[in-house]
Amino acid sequence: MTTVVPGRRTRRQSELLDRLLILFLEQGFSRFTLDDLAAELRCSKTTLYALAPSKEQLAVEVVKHYFKNATAQVESAVARQTRHDRRIAAYLNAVADALRPASRTFLDDVATFAPARSVYERNTRIAAERVRTLIEDGINNKMFRQVDIAFAAEMIAHTMQAIQRGDIARRTGLNDAEAYRELASFVLHSLRLD
């Protein structure tokens, strides 16, 4: 079996991760065996073992890959904005865009598989902290009204965690992408100067 070297991927391995990500976003990952995945990707199981030593760890690697790509897209969207009031909307809307391809099956698989859920939870905490800094920047640059930043960040973090856990989807019928779009609208309108 090939040894997995974290962070060092060949072009072929990166392409396989991209293909796995597309497959998992559409169909989830719990139903697949390594044999299924090898057949679907037309590669050997050894090739998959080079990515991760088990199907479970492969799922985690793909979820990490998803968040790495999503983070780059989100931060790129924020960097294109010069006004602080538009940066927070760009951030949350870009999160919504990144979640749009994720099927309910994929999100349910992530939610029920603790190691993958842990990756999502960690990224949600990072995202909530990023939103807090965007609020603080907007207040400091007089683009947002003065609010208790810690409270606003905590409220947003709880909403983001509820989206991540699937609570918002169950209670409102909104998918994760739609929920992030609504959160962006709510936050932006509540912070704007009158």
Side-chain angles (χ1 to χ4, degrees):
M1 193 178 312
T2 307
T3 305
V4 178
V5 181
R8 297 187 137 180
R9 301 255 187 242
T10 66
R11 187 167 49 96
R12 169 82 170 128
Q13 289 173 324
S14 293
E15 289 170 0
L16 275 174
L17 276 175
D18 289 339
R19 290 173 59 205
L20 279 166
L21 178 57
I22 291 167
L23 180 65
F24 286 5
L25 287 172
E26 291 174 358
Q27 300 180 36
F29 53 82
S30 64
R31 71 176 186 86
F32 290 105
T33 65
L34 277 176
D35 287 326
D36 295 335
L37 293 172
E40 184 77 31
L41 298 173
R42 295 189 174 115
C43 68
S44 68
K45 283 175 37 177
T46 303
T47 301
L48 295 175
Y49 282 127
L51 294 173
S54 70
K55 179 217 159 182
E56 291 76 15
Q57 290 172 321
L58 182 61
V60 171
E61 286 302 310
V62 173
V63 172
K64 286 179 183 177
H65 184 65
Y66 167 72
F67 281 107
K68 180 181 175 187
N69 291 347
T71 299
Q73 292 168 0
V74 168
E75 288 302 331
S76 175
V78 172
R80 289 191 299 270
Q81 300 299 322
T82 56
R83 288 182 42 173
H84 292 279
D85 59 334
R86 292 188 179 151
R87 294 179 87 206
I88 194 163
Y91 186 90
L92 292 170
N93 284 322
V95 170
D97 290 343
L99 284 167
R100 185 172 294 111
S103 68
R104 186 75 252 161
T105 304
F106 172 75
L107 294 170
D108 288 345
D109 282 353
V110 169
T112 57
F113 182 50
R117 183 177 63 243
S118 176
V119 172
Y120 196 160
E121 289 170 349
R122 184 171 77 69
N123 279 276
T124 300
R125 286 190 303 275
I126 292 167
E129 178 57 25
R130 182 70 169 111
V131 169
R132 189 199 64 73
T133 63
L134 291 169
I135 292 170
E136 188 171 24
D137 289 347
I139 290 170
N140 291 340
N141 286 282
K142 310 234 183 305
M143 297 300 293
F144 294 147
R145 66 187 182 85
Q146 191 66 44
V147 297
D148 185 299
I149 296 168
F151 177 79
E154 194 66 21
M155 182 190 72
I156 293 165
H158 279 284
T159 303
M160 292 170 86
Q161 290 162 358
I163 292 169
Q164 176 260 312
R165 288 190 310 267
D167 296 344
I168 299 295
R170 279 189 297 281
R171 292 179 187 152
T172 67
L174 296 172
N175 66 37
D176 289 15
E178 293 165 338
Y180 268 97
R181 287 233 183 272
E182 289 298 321
L183 179 60
S185 176
F186 178 81
V187 168
L188 191 58
H189 286 90
S190 67
L191 292 173
R192 277 201 176 124
L193 294 167
D194 291 329

